[in-house]
Amino acid sequence: MNIYGSKVHVVIVGGGFAGLACARKLAKSDDVRVTLIDKNNYHQFQPLLYQLATAELGTGDVATSIRQSLRRHSNIDVKMVEVTAADPRTRTVTTREGESYQGDFLVLAAGSQANFFGTAGAEQSAFPLYSLEEAQRLRSRILTVFEDADRDPKLVKQGALNFVVVGGGATGTEIAGALADMINVTMTTEYPDLAVKHARISLVDHGHALLGPFPVKAHDYAARTLQQKGVQLRLGVEVKEVASDHVLLSDGTSIQTRTAVWAGGLMASPLAASAGLPQGHGGRIAVRPDLTVEGFPCVYALGDFANIPGPDGQPLPQLGSVAQQSGEWTAKNILAEIAGETRTPFDYHDKGIMAMIGRDAAVAAVGKKRHELDGPIAFAAWLGVHALLMSGVRERIEAFIDWAWSYFGRSRPIQVLDRSDGGRIDWDAGSESGSTVASPAAKTAH
Ligand SMILES: Cc1cc2nc3c(=O)[nH]c(=O)nc-3n(C[C@H](O)[C@H](O)[C@H](O)COP(=O)(O)OP(=O)(O)OC[C@H]3O[C@@H](n4cnc5c(N)ncnc54)[C@H](O)[C@@H]3O)c2cc1C
């Protein structure tokens, strides 16, 4: 029996890397019952979203049912519902339908969404790449512009095959490389009547190097690799406006395009603002070293939702490994507390960072000392690490089959044009029926 005298109730908001890891560890204790709340019924594997968008992997490879993942744990109750408010004083969350869930402990792990930094038109017209729905919508757009241009080649002159990627971090670099491979390897074969050679990918970033947090050698390797694949780098310029038919840059250049991919940055999910808690960079909740929120020892914030202080006091980066480990640590601290022991500061085990830049090309900086790898070795390491991060054996096997299919077969296994998002393009009007699909609102710019 614990010091509470009965089963302790932990309410977790978010079934991402952080929330799921926390729930799984808590599930092993007989002293605890957990309510895990997520607005979706699936856990999405964000690191592979760009492969979903470029038809290399299917939905089932990058999303798993939360209920199925936790079905063996009878002390976890899963609720699919959107939380719209959190009250840290009473450890209660309220849903869009007006229901409330109160816990002895509240764990906030609601992740992040695109940050448009107030860029004109970006929220309405750009294609962000931070959720499953967004990746599916982008895939539909890429396939639609090829189909439309194949039917009416004049559309190529209107920028149908121009793609603009905003952001030169890991997400932007990865999608630019994957898109270049899709065009160079697959589309050239599958659209023999279309002048695919006129397709252009521009990657825009206001900084002067790609992959900022990586060592300098990786910046150069990424730039060289993308240029070899035909990607035009526009570094040192800002995106001033995104419209449905063009992107305007700070140097006055206007690029005609129907596909502006937004990989420009992240901010905490809007739930962060509702809790009335101190927010820092990116709108994320500031937490103490033990992951609790200042003044609320039974409220935790973790993963992408929080600014977690690292050893140097600076916030740790938004990474799957930080999220997963912070989820496990939170569970450990909750279990310590209900056993009458003290909480301990989060000790992040830094395994390094990696990014894929397309076929046979990747960069990795491994461990705290950042041992550098690039080329096919880093590519193989990337495949292995990401397969291990996936939550189920079935997902791993399916992903490997799809990877092998596109690698050796040079075709895309999941090239299915899903019209459910209404993404038809009205080429005459310069606007499209699907452009009203809501993108998350940009609230803070940092
Ligand atoms: C394109 C891309 C590529 C990446 N590549 C890598 C990589 O290679 N390696 C790496 O380590 N990291 C990578 N990351 C980062 C990594 O995916 C994130 O750091 C990680 O997903 C954060 O986990 P989380 O649990 O904090 O949030 P998430 O995984 O975002 O989970 C948050 C959960 O909360 C739910 N939720 C949100 N709001 C609500 C609400 N109001 N009510 C109910 N539920 C809600 C969401 O549905 C979601 O399931 C990448 C991220 C992106 C976007």
Side-chain angles (χ1 to χ4, degrees):
M1 187 60 65
N2 61 68
I3 58 167
Y4 285 69
S6 61
K7 275 204 179 213
V8 170
H9 184 206
V10 181
V11 173
I12 301 176
V13 182
F17 282 101
L20 214 50
C22 182
R24 281 201 175 111
K25 197 165 170 80
L26 287 173
K28 292 180 186 145
S29 166
D30 292 334
D31 288 336
V32 179
R33 71 182 176 92
V34 175
T35 303
L36 177 71
I37 305 174
D38 200 293
K39 61 183 174 183
N40 297 310
N41 79 335
Y42 52 81
H43 162 77
Q44 63 193 10
F45 194 84
Q46 281 186 341
L48 295 178
L49 289 178
Y50 78 94
Q51 297 197 10
L52 177 69
T54 50
E56 204 165 341
L57 292 178
T59 310
D61 300 329
V62 300
T64 15
S65 152
I66 295 177
R67 239 169 240 289
Q68 213 172 61
S69 306
L70 298 172
R71 69 185 184 281
R72 289 202 182 86
H73 304 294
S74 57
N75 55 346
I76 301 185
D77 189 15
V78 177
K79 292 281 175 250
M80 191 192 89
V81 67
E82 186 181 0
V83 172
T84 48
D87 181 350
R89 284 171 299 115
T90 57
R91 302 169 308 283
T92 305
V93 293
T94 311
T95 70
R96 188 163 290 289
E97 286 73 23
E99 295 149 353
S100 300
Y101 294 86
Q102 187 184 26
D104 299 303
F105 291 89
L106 176 61
V107 177
L108 299 171
S112 46
Q113 63 177 32
N115 189 347
F116 297 104
F117 297 98
T119 308
E123 192 187 333
Q124 294 76 27
S125 301
F127 286 76
L129 188 54
Y130 298 111
S131 72
L132 186 78
E133 280 174 16
E134 290 168 353
Q136 286 172 319
R137 200 175 144 241
L138 175 58
R139 181 180 65 191
S140 293
R141 171 51 57 103
I142 295 168
L143 297 175
T144 300
V145 291
F146 272 92
E147 291 302 338
D148 286 4
D150 186 56
R151 208 187 53 250
D152 180 0
K154 286 200 303 297
L155 297 178
V156 176
K157 283 219 166 80
Q158 290 182 38
L161 301 186
N162 289 348
F163 301 88
V164 178
V165 176
V166 185
T171 304
T173 304
E174 288 186 325
I175 183 73
L179 194 52
D181 285 345
M182 182 182 189
I183 292 170
N184 298 338
V185 181
T186 308
M187 299 321 218
T188 39
T189 317
E190 295 188 3
Y191 292 85
D193 299 334
L194 178 63
V196 175
K197 63 175 189 291
H198 292 306
R200 293 276 174 275
I201 303 170
S202 308
L203 190 159
V204 186
D205 195 294
H206 59 79
H208 291 274
L210 300 176
L211 296 179
F214 285 73
V216 174
K217 204 172 142 212
H219 303 171
D220 299 340
Y221 177 84
R224 221 174 35 248
T225 307
L226 286 183
Q227 281 167 329
Q228 280 161 3
K229 289 175 187 289
V231 176
Q232 296 177 352
L233 300 183
R234 309 197 64 121
L235 302 180
V237 280
E238 268 175 53
V239 170
K240 285 289 177 202
E241 184 200 12
V242 181
S244 63
D245 58 355
H246 70 269
V247 169
L248 181 64
L249 306 184
S250 56
D251 62 3
T253 313
S254 175
I255 306 174
Q256 278 188 306
T257 181
R258 297 294 177 142
T259 319
V261 182
W262 192 267
L266 289 168
M267 58 193 269
S269 122
L271 182 62
S274 81
L277 294 169
Q279 289 174 269
H281 186 71
R284 289 179 275 274
I285 307 279
V287 291
R288 290 159 43 87
D290 63 9
L291 304 172
T292 60
V293 177
E294 186 70 55
F296 299 100
C298 296
V299 179
Y300 289 79
L302 40 148
D304 277 12
F305 199 65
N307 278 326
I308 302 174
D312 57 359
Q314 292 302 309
L316 291 171
Q318 282 68 61
L319 286 175
S321 47
V322 174
Q324 215 167 39
Q325 289 181 40
S326 64
E328 286 167 3
W329 203 276
T330 294
K332 188 175 148 207
N333 272 347
I334 290 174
L335 293 175
E337 194 151 350
I338 61 185
E341 296 161 11
T342 46
R343 299 186 298 268
T344 50
F346 177 47
D347 182 14
Y348 174 55
H349 180 46
D350 186 353
K351 293 178 191 153
I353 42 179
M354 38 179 68
M356 171 89 98
I357 317 163
R359 240 178 135 76
D360 280 340
V363 286
V366 183
K368 270 189 193 153
K369 295 209 167 138
R370 298 289 187 253
H371 294 297
E372 295 175 39
L373 298 175
D374 59 32
I377 295 177
F379 179 79
W382 187 99
L383 287 180
V385 167
H386 285 79
L388 283 178
L389 266 176
M390 285 180 179
S391 58
V393 175
R394 184 186 60 79
E395 288 74 22
R396 278 179 211 153
I397 294 170
E398 280 182 8
F400 267 103
I401 292 171
D402 287 341
W403 279 329
W405 191 277
S406 64
Y407 189 86
F408 296 110
R410 305 175 85 80
S411 65
R412 304 265 149 176
I414 320 295
Q415 225 165 290
V416 175
L417 177 46
D418 173 5
R419 291 283 199 193
S420 60
D421 68 352
R424 286 192 173 76
I425 305 171
D426 181 349
W427 293 94
D428 296 328
S431 64
E432 54 256 18
S433 60
S435 64
T436 50
V437 172
S439 293
K443 284 198 178 138
T444 48
H446 299 278

